[in-house]
């Protein structure tokens, strides 16, 4: 484990390194301070561990507000500047609908139906990205 971030009710958000990918699994509500801390920790972990990808599994998140949506986009932008790609996996339909209703298009943020698809997307060469099931360039 690379580190963890305080999450809801004092729990921690683990940041795990799997080969050349960081895996972050969110469960329940993520408060603003914890989301900001997670963003900082992911950037530091990318630099420290030289990973090329970040998967943020949000399958355990029922509600995403505009702040958390922007944090996801900022994590992707920061990771991109650090030569890593970001994929958000496991988004529930209600969460996707909420982000669309809020007008958050999240440019540069890729999504996948689940963690397996996300890892597959990150395994694809960056120069050639054919359309594959479970992959979207943005919302």
């Amino acid at each position: 484990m690379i580190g963890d971030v305080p999450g809801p009710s004092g729990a921690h958000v683990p940041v795990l390194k799997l080969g050349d990918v960081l895996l972050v699994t969110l469960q329940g509500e993520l408060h603003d301070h914890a989301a900001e801390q997670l963003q900082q920790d992911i950037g530091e972990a990318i630099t420290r561990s030289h990973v090329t990808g970040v998967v943020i599994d949000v399958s355990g998140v029922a509600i995403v507000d505009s702040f958390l949506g922007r944090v996801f986009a900022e994590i992707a932008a920061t990771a991109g500047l650090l030569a890593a790609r970001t994929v958000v996996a496991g988004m529930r339909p209600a969460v996707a609908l909420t982000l669309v209703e809020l007008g958050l298009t999240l440019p540069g943020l890729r999504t996948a139906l689940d963690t397996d698809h996300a890892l597959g997307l990150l395994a694809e060469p960056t120069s050639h990205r054919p359309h594959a099931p479970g992959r979207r360039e943005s919302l």
Side-chain angles (χ1 to χ4, degrees):
M1 178 167 26
I2 297 292
D4 49 72
V5 177
S9 307
H12 292 275
V13 177
V15 178
L16 305 172
K17 184 174 184 250
L18 300 173
D20 61 352
V21 174
L22 294 179
L23 175 61
V24 180
T25 302
L26 302 179
Q27 296 294 320
E29 187 179 349
L30 189 65
H31 299 288
D32 291 357
H33 176 70
E36 290 173 339
Q37 186 64 49
L38 179 63
Q39 181 179 358
Q40 181 178 345
D41 288 353
I42 288 173
E44 291 171 2
I46 291 168
T47 303
R48 227 180 14 256
S49 59
H50 305 286
V51 297
T52 59
V54 178
V55 174
I56 303 172
D57 180 357
V58 297
S59 59
V61 176
I63 299 171
V64 173
D65 61 11
S66 61
F67 177 79
L68 190 54
R70 281 193 303 273
V71 167
F72 291 158
E74 289 171 6
I75 288 171
T78 301
L81 291 172
L82 297 172
R85 297 179 289 162
T86 303
V87 179
V88 172
M91 189 176 300
R92 296 177 184 200
V95 170
L97 181 61
T98 299
L99 291 175
V100 170
E101 288 174 348
L102 291 171
L104 296 175
T105 57
L106 307 179
L109 185 64
R110 298 171 70 187
T111 61
L113 296 176
D114 56 37
T115 303
D116 287 338
H117 282 111
L119 292 171
L121 290 174
L122 292 174
E124 291 178 3
T126 56
S127 60
H128 183 288
R129 293 185 191 159
H131 264 294
R135 185 182 134 229
R136 297 173 197 94
E137 290 300 321
S138 65
L139 292 178

